[in-house]
Structure formats: C-alpha cells, structure tokens
C-alpha cells in the first residue's frame, strides 16, 4: 500500500510541458553563461599554466567550448529565444580566475594541477547539466535540440576525461 501511495504522489508531481520547457530554458541559459565565463577565462588560465601540454589542452578545451556555445545558441534560437546581453549565471560557475589571482603567484606544476582540478569540477557540473537537458529535451520541439544537447554532453564527458588524464600525470 505504501509503494502505491509513493507512485501516486510521484505522478502528481510530474512537470507539465510548459514547466519542462521552462526548466530546460533555465538550465540551458545557465550552461550558456558558464561556457561564456570559461571561454573568457581560458586565456588567463593559459597564461598561468606552467607546462606546454596543459596550455595545449586548454586550447583544445577552448575549441570544444566554442562549439558547445554555438550549439547552445542554436538551441536557444530554435526555441525562439533572443540573446539580450549576457545571460545570468545561475550555478555561479567556479571562479578560478579570482582564486588564482589571490592564491597563486608562480607558474609551476602545482598551479597546473589547481587549474586542471578546478576545470574538472566545472566540467562535472556542466556534464550533469547536459545530462538533465538530454532527458528534458526528449519532450522539447524541435527534435534537433535533442541532438545538439546530446553532442554537447558527449563532448563534455570527453573533455573531462582529457582533463583527468592530464591531472593524473601530476599525481
């Protein structure tokens, strides 16, 4: 009887189509602002990096992030959303730039490890956001949006794996 009550209460709490779309837009905007913050900060991260391989990985990350920004913008356009200024940052994005300015004074392997660790954490947040968007996008039209988000999700996982592999080099 208790399991039946739980199932009934879950059915009553499902999102409507408009609530699903609203949540999708909110998370999509959050990802957009996070990606913009990361792309704006990557030149500084690169200037603080010690190892050439870390700098090259950041260049690769910038390429992936730019592609994701384009796909997120395309998804927003397909949803009929306009781009008026910079979207609000809801998840706060990890402020690695300020952290480095306050706590790191030298280019060294430790700085590289700090940068990589923080980028891995940021990528993890974005992976989870893309995963949620992937689920929500199944009921969002047009269906092209689902494919765009799925590609971003796949790229984010690949990027995180690359960052983790580089960090393991320091361990």
């Amino acid at each position: 009887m208790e399991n039946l009550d739980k199932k009934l209460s879950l059915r009553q709490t499902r999102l409507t189509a408009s609530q699903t779309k609203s949540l999708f837009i909110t998370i999509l905007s959050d990802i957009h602002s996070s990606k913009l913050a990361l792309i704006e900060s990557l030149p500084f991260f690169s200037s603080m990096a010690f190892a050439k391989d870390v700098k090259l990985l950041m260049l690769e990350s910038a390429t992936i992030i730019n592609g994701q920004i384009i796909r997120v913008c395309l998804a927003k356009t397909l949803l009929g959303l306009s781009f008026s200024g910079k979207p609000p940052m809801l998840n706060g994005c990890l402020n690695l730039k300020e952290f480095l300015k306050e706590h790191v004074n030298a280019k060294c392997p430790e700085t590289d490890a700090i940068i990589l660790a923080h980028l891995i954490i940021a990528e993890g947040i974005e992976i989870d956001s893309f995963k949620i968007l992937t689920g929500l996008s199944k009921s969002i039209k047009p269906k092209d949006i689902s494919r765009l988000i799925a590609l971003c999700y796949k790229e984010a996982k690949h990027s995180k794996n690359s960052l983790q592999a580089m960090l393991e080099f320091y361990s």
Side-chain angles (χ1 to χ4, degrees):
M1 181 74 169
E2 188 176 315
N3 286 338
L4 181 59
D5 290 339
K6 286 181 184 178
K7 286 181 183 179
L8 288 175
S9 71
L10 283 175
R11 282 190 198 134
Q12 294 168 349
T13 59
R14 298 225 174 177
L15 298 175
T16 65
S18 73
Q19 289 171 325
T20 298
K21 187 173 181 177
S22 178
L23 178 60
F24 182 89
I25 290 168
T26 299
I27 295 171
L28 190 67
S29 294
D30 191 25
I31 283 289
H32 184 230
S33 60
S34 295
K35 292 292 180 184
L36 288 176
L38 277 173
I39 205 69
E40 288 173 7
S41 299
L42 279 176
F44 175 75
F45 300 160
S46 181
S47 74
M48 293 297 294
F50 174 72
K52 187 177 184 180
D53 289 345
V54 172
K55 290 180 185 222
L56 290 173
L57 184 59
M58 282 188 248
L59 179 61
E60 180 184 324
S61 293
T63 304
I64 292 169
I65 291 168
N66 275 323
Q68 290 172 337
I69 290 171
I70 289 168
R71 282 188 292 283
V72 166
C73 289
L74 181 56
K76 289 177 98 172
T77 300
L78 288 171
L79 288 168
L81 302 174
S82 63
F83 293 91
S84 56
K86 198 171 180 178
M89 183 144 345
L90 301 179
N91 74 19
C93 194
L94 301 170
N95 200 343
L96 179 57
K97 192 172 182 178
E98 289 303 315
F99 176 82
L100 288 174
K101 283 181 180 178
E102 292 176 20
H103 296 76
V104 177
N105 297 321
K107 293 181 185 181
C108 63
E110 183 183 12
T111 301
D112 288 356
I114 291 169
I115 291 169
L116 291 168
H118 279 72
L119 289 174
I120 289 166
I121 292 166
E123 199 67 63
I125 292 168
E126 291 174 359
I127 287 168
D128 287 340
S129 296
F130 280 129
K131 187 175 182 178
I132 292 167
L133 287 174
T134 300
L136 292 172
S137 69
K138 292 175 184 172
S139 62
I140 303 286
K141 291 188 174 48
K143 290 298 177 190
D144 290 340
I145 292 171
S146 185
R147 287 188 284 275
L148 293 170
I149 298 304
L151 182 55
C152 288
Y153 176 59
K154 181 180 174 184
E155 282 180 343
K157 289 193 311 186
H158 171 76
S159 182
K160 183 178 178 191
N161 290 339
S162 297
L163 292 166
Q164 285 175 325
M166 183 66 72
L167 185 59
E168 286 173 9
F169 174 77
Y170 287 94
S171 302

